[in-house]
């Protein structure tokens, strides 16, 4: 149910002995998976804007695509074996692409032979499934890209030279021209 935290409490002789959330729930409690799925295939939304600026239609990269979502991580992290199982399940389900928006810290990058994402992506590539991964969130310094195996299509965030201009009106009526550069 929306808004419920699914916690359970058990009592023994009127003492609370356990309070937990069930393991294995498909619910995206953090929102990261839902967010990345909307970037991939979100339906068009008219009149989207950034606080009224840059108004237009926002949509995912392929809004007509069908998405299969596999929850491989929790708030506690991502198990390598669970990641590999999710990749295998996606391949078995016949997906065309796999998008993985997670990665290790660039400080502790594993060898391709030990990195579960690199191993799973290699297996997917052998089966004809393209794997797209995030480049990480630690840049823009040198050597901060993760998921850099040559068989992975690694995508990085970028910025643009876009300038959002508006007029700021203060409570006393004074106005200022302001600019937000992204």
């Amino acid at each position: 149910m929306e808004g419920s935290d699914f916690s359970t409490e058990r009592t023994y002789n009127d003492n609370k002995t356990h309070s937990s959330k069930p393991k294995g729930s498909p619910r995206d409690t953090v929102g990261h998976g839902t967010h990345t799925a909307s970037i991939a295939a979100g339906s068009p939304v008219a009149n989207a804007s950034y606080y009224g600026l840059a108004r237009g239609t926002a949509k995912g990269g392929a809004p007509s695509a069908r998405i299969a979502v596999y929850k491989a991580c929790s708030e506690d992290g991502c198990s390598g074996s669970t990641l590999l199982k999710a990749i295998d399940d996606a391949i078995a389900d016949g997906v065309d692409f796999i998008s993985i928006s997670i990665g290790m810290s660039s400080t502790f990058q594993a060898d391709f032979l030990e990195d579960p994402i690199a191993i799973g992506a290699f297996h997917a590539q052998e089966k004809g499934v393209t794997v797209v991964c995030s480049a990480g969130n630690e840049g823009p310094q040198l050597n901060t890209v993760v998921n850099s195996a040559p068989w992975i299509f690694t995508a990085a965030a970028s910025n643009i030279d876009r300038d959002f201009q508006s007029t700021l009106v203060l409570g006393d009526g004074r106005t200022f021209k302001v600019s937000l550069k992204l």
Side-chain angles (χ1 to χ4, degrees), residues 44-68:
V45 176
N47 296 316
S49 71
Y50 180 74
Y51 296 103
L53 301 172
R55 188 170 309 280
T57 299
K59 63 182 179 178
S64 62
R66 291 181 18 206
I67 291 185

Side-chain angles (χ1 to χ4, degrees), residues 1 31 43 49 55-56 62 69 81 108-109 114 137 146-147 152 163 168 181:
M1 296 175 75
S43 297
S49 71
R55 188 170 309 280
V69 178
S81 61
F108 303 105
Q109 285 193 48
E114 297 175 5
N137 295 320
V146 297
N147 297 318
I152 296 175
D163 186 15
L168 175 67
K181 292 187 187 275

Side-chain angles (χ1 to χ4, degrees), residues 100 102-113 115-119 121-122 131-136 142-156:
I100 302 174
I102 56 174
M104 259 184 159
S105 165
S106 61
T107 307
F108 303 105
Q109 285 193 48
D111 181 302
F112 294 156
L113 298 175
D115 178 2
I117 294 174
I119 294 167
F122 187 81
V131 177
V132 180
C133 290
S134 62
L142 294 175
N143 303 312
T144 57
V145 172
V146 297
N147 297 318
S148 59
W151 49 88
I152 296 175
F153 186 100
T154 305

Side-chain angles (χ1 to χ4, degrees), residues 54-129:
R55 188 170 309 280
T57 299
K59 63 182 179 178
S64 62
R66 291 181 18 206
I67 291 185
V69 178
Y70 304 83
K71 184 172 180 178
C73 300
S74 70
E75 292 179 24
D76 298 328
C78 307
S79 153
S81 61
T82 305
L83 287 169
L84 290 169
K85 174 71 170 129
I87 293 169
D88 280 347
D89 287 350
I91 294 167
D93 289 343
V95 302
D96 297 312
F97 296 91
I98 296 174
S99 173
I100 302 174
S101 186
I102 56 174
M104 259 184 159
S105 165
S106 61
T107 307
F108 303 105
Q109 285 193 48
D111 181 302
F112 294 156
L113 298 175
E114 297 175 5
D115 178 2
I117 294 174
I119 294 167
F122 187 81
H123 177 67
Q125 186 65 36
E126 285 184 316
K127 300 289 184 178
V129 177

Side-chain angles (χ1 to χ4, degrees), residues 136-179:
N137 295 320
E138 296 181 11
Q141 292 78 21
L142 294 175
N143 303 312
T144 57
V145 172
V146 297
N147 297 318
S148 59
W151 49 88
I152 296 175
F153 186 100
T154 305
S158 65
N159 58 18
I160 57 174
D161 60 354
R162 199 161 181 190
D163 186 15
F164 294 100
Q165 298 179 359
S166 188
T167 302
L168 175 67
V169 180
L170 299 181
D172 63 5
R174 289 185 295 161
T175 63
F176 297 91
K177 295 285 185 189
V178 294
S179 175

